[in-house]
Amino acid sequence: MEDLAWMVRDSTSAWLRGYGDLRFDQYESFYRMARKADDSPGNLEQINEEYARWIEERPSRIISLLNRPAFAHALIAFTAVWLAAQALPHLAGVAPKSTGGLLVAAFIALRVFHRKRRKRA
């Protein structure tokens, strides 16, 4: 059985410093759910072993962060800006008038798109 007393000490010191430590809150919510599921006092040793297995089965925080739609949107936006920054100087050197016309058309299209979104909202 894993000794979970360190969670109490760390969480208490974090609380005294003015910010919360989510590890103890996670354990507390898991403990309450386990007690509700059985409708019995429960065996603390068994709950602790189940909690250790539950923690090991969960994906890491980094994977959870990378799996969010906001991260995907940011990555797509960053890639688009980087590609445009690489391509525009070359295109402007080859065909400056056409490149300028395409940029003006793109900015007008963005304005129209955002105006339509604002009207729907």
Side-chain angles (χ1 to χ4, degrees):
M1 180 175 97
E2 184 180 343
D3 183 18
L4 299 172
W6 59 270
M7 290 180 143
V8 176
R9 184 185 69 248
D10 286 354
S11 294
T12 303
S13 65
W15 178 75
L16 289 173
R17 286 190 305 261
Y19 56 91
D21 187 356
L22 296 179
R23 294 175 299 178
F24 185 75
D25 294 336
Q26 283 180 334
Y27 175 74
E28 185 68 24
S29 64
F30 181 84
Y31 176 75
R32 289 178 192 263
M33 285 189 310
R35 295 270 317 261
K36 282 183 185 177
D38 292 344
D39 281 337
S40 65
N43 183 359
L44 185 59
E45 185 173 340
Q46 180 183 3
I47 291 174
N48 288 344
E49 289 172 2
E50 289 173 8
Y51 179 72
R53 281 194 299 269
W54 180 71
I55 287 293
E56 288 174 2
E57 292 171 358
R58 293 178 54 206
S60 71
R61 289 182 182 176
I62 293 174
I63 292 174
S64 298
L65 176 71
L66 295 177
N67 200 25
R68 292 184 179 178
F71 181 79
H73 292 196
L75 184 63
I76 290 169
F78 176 75
T79 304
V81 168
W82 183 79
L83 284 173
Q86 299 299 317
L88 277 176
H90 297 293
L91 291 174
V94 175
K97 290 182 181 178
S98 300
T99 305
L102 286 174
L103 283 173
V104 168
F107 287 131
I108 291 172
L110 283 172
R111 292 287 295 176
V112 169
F113 174 73
H114 286 295
R115 185 170 288 156
K116 284 183 180 179
R117 281 186 74 192
R118 272 191 260 141
K119 284 183 180 179
R120 279 188 279 170

